[in-house]
Every structure is written in C-alpha cells, then in structure tokens.
Amino acid sequence: RKEVEQDPGPFNVPEGATVAFNCTYSNSASQSFFWYRQDCRKEPKLLMSVYSSGNEDGRFTAQLNRASQYISLLIRDSKLSDSATYLCVVNERYNNNDMRFGAGTRLTVKP
Amino acid sequence: DTGVSQDPRHKITKRGQNVTFRCDPISEHNRLYWYRQTLGQGPEFLTYFQNEAQLEKSRLLSDRFSAERPKGSFSTLEIQRTEQGDSAMYLCASSRTSGGAYEQYFGPGTRLTVT
C-alpha cells in the first residue's frame, strides 16, 4: 500500500462546478498535512496547510479526518485557472523533514 | 524575486557523464531539501540539510549521488556516472524551522535528460 494515495483523475469539470479530491495516508502518526498545486512542467506550489479543525481559503476548503486517515480538498466555483495537478502531502514527523507526496490528482476546468 | 532558485533549468547529458546542479534557497530558510520527480508521480525525497549539516538521506540516494551545503546557504547535488534512469526533474525546496511555519517552498527544478 502506498503511503499517500490519491485518485489520479483526470477530473474534467465545467467552469463554476464544485469538485472534491480525497487523499488517504497510511501512517496514523502523521503530523501535518498540505495541499500543493503543480502546473504542467512547473514546480509544486503550496496551496494550503490542512488543520485538524478544517480550514478555508476563498474558494478552497481543506478537511482532515484523522480517524479515517484521509484529507480532502473542495474547490467551489472552479475557474479555468484552477486546471492543474493537486498533490496531497503528508508529513510523518513533527519537524517537517519527512514529507510524503501523493502522485497527484489532475483537474481540468473547461469553459 | 526572493524565492528558491535552481541552476541549470535543463541539462542534457550522455550516459556515464557527471552532472552538478545548484540550489539557492530562500535566504532566511535554514532547511534545504532535494527531491526527484518523474512523470506522473509526486516528488520523492532524496536528502535534506539543516544549515550545513546533511541530516538525512533516502535509500533512493545511491552512492553515485552526493549533495553538499558547505556554508549553509546554497547547495549542490552531483550525480556521477549518470544512467538513463536518472532522467527526472530534480527539485529543491527550503523551509524554516521556527515560528511554526514549516511549509516547504520549491524552486523551478532542473530537468535532467540522460541520453
């Protein structure tokens, strides 16, 4: 079983749609969680950290379920510019030197 | 732009040659990480430094790979006797270790092609 698993997609949605991605992780002792966004042939960019209580940043909402060991990302009112690969990242240690990346979920938003 | 920078952005080399990549982290970040990413996969951890000390190396980092961060600022990653399987994007990231902000910020990467 992979340490961090994501549905690879692709997810093809129309502009304005709401789309949700899930990610599961295997290490129950994992400490912190992030979503990164990666455009084609570019570096990953931090989208948001995921807090235990859940957090929202504009159209993006992240949730963490420690009991079931999954993380989710919800994108509301999707824009063409949201088209990218979304990487789920799990840190297995407190001091953040053991980041495990999922393979990513590809999203294409169409007009 | 005060982000992470990497040089070169692209490198094509013949099998058996040595290559060296450079990473300049965000100036106030004391942690520096190297990752490798192949098509369709997420980045895989290779090694990391805190200041000038190399604190961890992945088992992915064979003897042909060596990384340094001599003054705790920029870092180099050298691959000796390159193989076709080394073709990948090599990403560098940096982070702080204080103030609770441990997020890693990535450079643009060096795309290596071994022919």
Side-chain angles (χ1 to χ4, degrees):
Chain A
R1 184 184 170 188
K2 288 185 180 177
E3 291 154 319
V4 181
E5 291 204 62
Q6 295 183 249
D7 181 342
F11 284 62
N12 298 310
V13 302
E15 260 186 301
T18 296
V19 62
F21 308 136
N22 288 331
C23 163
T24 57
Y25 60 94
S26 60
N27 186 345
S28 60
S30 295
Q31 296 287 328
S32 54
F33 310 88
F34 307 89
W35 283 100
Y36 278 72
R37 170 201 168 121
Q38 187 170 27
D39 293 294
C40 190
R41 301 180 78 83
K42 301 277 192 178
E43 74 273 23
K45 292 191 175 174
L46 179 66
L47 181 65
M48 56 198 305
S49 303
V50 186
Y51 303 124
S52 295
S53 54
N55 48 302
E56 190 173 305
D57 183 1
R59 297 181 294 108
F60 299 84
T61 300
Q63 297 278 350
L64 168 63
N65 184 320
R66 282 191 186 271
S68 301
Q69 293 178 215
Y70 81 77
I71 309 147
S72 64
L73 177 68
L74 183 78
I75 306 175
R76 289 182 299 279
D77 188 24
S78 48
K79 312 289 184 194
L80 297 176
S81 58
D82 294 334
S83 297
T85 296
Y86 291 83
L87 298 166
C88 173
V89 186
V90 173
N91 172 38
E92 299 195 338
R93 299 190 211 171
Y94 174 69
N95 58 0
N96 236 49
N97 57 295
D98 202 358
M99 305 263 276
R100 307 289 172 157
F101 285 76
T105 298
R106 210 166 111 219
L107 171 66
T108 301
V109 181
K110 299 187 172 176
Chain B
D1 186 348
T2 56
V4 179
S5 62
Q6 291 187 245
D7 183 68
R9 297 289 302 276
H10 303 274
K11 178 72 178 177
I12 299 173
T13 190
K14 291 185 178 176
R15 191 176 54 187
Q17 299 295 305
N18 299 344
V19 294
T20 300
F21 310 142
R22 176 179 169 127
C23 170
D24 286 86
I26 293 170
S27 58
E28 63 267 28
H29 286 183
N30 60 341
R31 284 230 173 121
L32 186 150
Y33 309 80
W34 285 100
Y35 291 86
R36 181 172 69 188
Q37 187 176 24
T38 53
L39 198 62
Q41 300 299 316
E44 294 176 294
F45 170 77
L46 292 177
T47 188
Y48 94 99
F49 293 83
Q50 180 153 322
N51 302 313
E52 64 274 10
Q54 187 174 18
L55 296 187
E56 190 167 340
K57 290 195 274 189
S58 161
R59 67 181 186 281
L60 293 175
L61 212 67
S62 76
D63 291 345
R64 298 184 297 105
F65 288 69
S66 62
E68 293 183 344
R69 195 183 182 197
K71 296 181 181 177
S73 56
F74 74 91
S75 174
T76 57
L77 177 69
E78 182 184 15
I79 309 174
Q80 295 182 326
R81 304 181 304 281
T82 51
E83 301 173 356
Q84 286 186 317
D86 297 332
S87 295
M89 174 78 92
Y90 289 84
L91 292 161
C92 175
S94 69
S95 74
R96 291 193 194 112
T97 53
S98 61
Y102 301 122
E103 295 90 349
Q104 295 183 19
Y105 294 88
F106 284 83
T110 295
R111 185 170 297 279
L112 173 66
T113 303
V114 181
T115 61

